[in-house]
Amino acid sequence: MNQEQLFFSILRAVLWGTPAEVPADTDWQGMLNLAARQKCLHAFSVWLKAHRIATPFDKQLTPTMFMVLQRQARLNQLAISVIELLSQHDISATLIKGYSLSGLYPDPDTRDFGDVDIYVGEKDYERAAEIVTAAYPDAHWHSGTEGGIHYILVIDENLDRVVELHRVTMEFHDKKADALYQAFTLRHLNHSTTLDIYGKAVAVPSAAYNALYVFMHAWHHFESTGVGFRQLGDWALCLKLAHEQSTLEEWQTLTQEIEQILTALHMRTAWQTFGHILVNQLQLPVEAFPLYTTDYQDCANRLLRQLLRDGHGGRPIKGDCCLMKRFGWERPKKNRLLQKGYTACRLLFEAWQMAKFFPDLAWHELIVTIKNIA
């Protein structure tokens, strides 16, 4: 068993609770480096400790693991406090993203998370931001609207307690596709389930909603700096649960909704390519993946190699554009001509990166972005 095979064997054990055999001659330095690159190091640490599997790095892993668990306990209390605060002002709040997904794991402690993400919706967004900001006047730092998607409040300077209030869960440049997605959000978040936190029932998205949303969030990371298998594992868990909870008619309806949105975004091929990896590497049942096909097997194998190489947030910038490098890959602030030149170079570079796997999607996104800028 090589390093990558062992990585996926342990990851499947974390996701599904299946057994995994760990060879005595495991290269733990390489294995743990791979797990860290994929944002799975905490999950692997918890799993190894639970199964009493020793490594040469236990002295470093164990304190870090407990520090993460302590931080998550603080975030638990923060989530309850903020959601109750909003409830007192008649604002409905739904816990989204990583925090809400931890309950899907056989051992919830294996899924670490960095902040508290709360969806409040369009109507209550600005009022919620004002209420939470007023409740934490000594916050170390807080942002504006971040493009109108979320408002970030950092409660302490160690970044141990961070709240993000979301106006929308995702937003797309393509207006038709965005309208379909926002309607999908309103439909499914009205049927949220609940997660017990310290005896409090907190609203979280249904598995049916997360079947699409978690992929779109992972895609956002993939097309920017890289996505790790922690998020792809989240997606697999959501899909399996959504399939188990759905009747045949409900599953067909969900599949149609997802297909409609993906088609509008020109992302059906991307969805199916990632799906090939979920089924073949994470062993998600075929019947639990909407629109599954083996048509993109070669592309999926090439994509797998890049995912393993880059990991979460580790995609190297390999472009050879002098203008972009000159400004440290940040848009120049004062010179309008240089701003336009930088933007043009960045758009072409991103399209070229995407075209290596999904040429039709790369072309579509380039055209839509140019139209929105013009």
Side-chain angles (χ1 to χ4, degrees), residues 1-8 23 31:
M1 183 183 295
N2 63 33
Q3 189 178 92
E4 291 175 5
Q5 290 171 333
L6 179 58
F7 168 78
F8 284 118
M31 172 57 60

Side-chain angles (χ1 to χ4, degrees), residues 58-120:
D58 285 353
K59 287 186 178 180
Q60 295 99 312
L61 291 175
T62 301
T64 302
M65 178 185 68
F66 282 112
M67 285 176 63
V68 171
L69 294 175
Q70 288 173 346
R71 182 177 183 230
Q72 291 181 184
R74 291 193 291 273
L75 288 172
N76 283 340
Q77 190 57 59
L78 178 63
I80 292 296
S81 299
V82 173
I83 289 173
E84 288 186 338
L85 173 66
L86 294 174
S87 178
Q88 291 168 9
H89 292 81
D90 298 319
I91 296 177
S92 297
T94 302
L95 204 55
I96 62 172
K97 292 171 63 175
Y99 196 131
S100 66
L101 298 172
S102 61
L104 302 182
Y105 284 73
D107 180 356
D109 283 344
T110 57
R111 179 49 163 98
D112 57 329
F113 42 87
D115 50 24
V116 176
D117 290 274
I118 298 174
Y119 170 82
V120 293

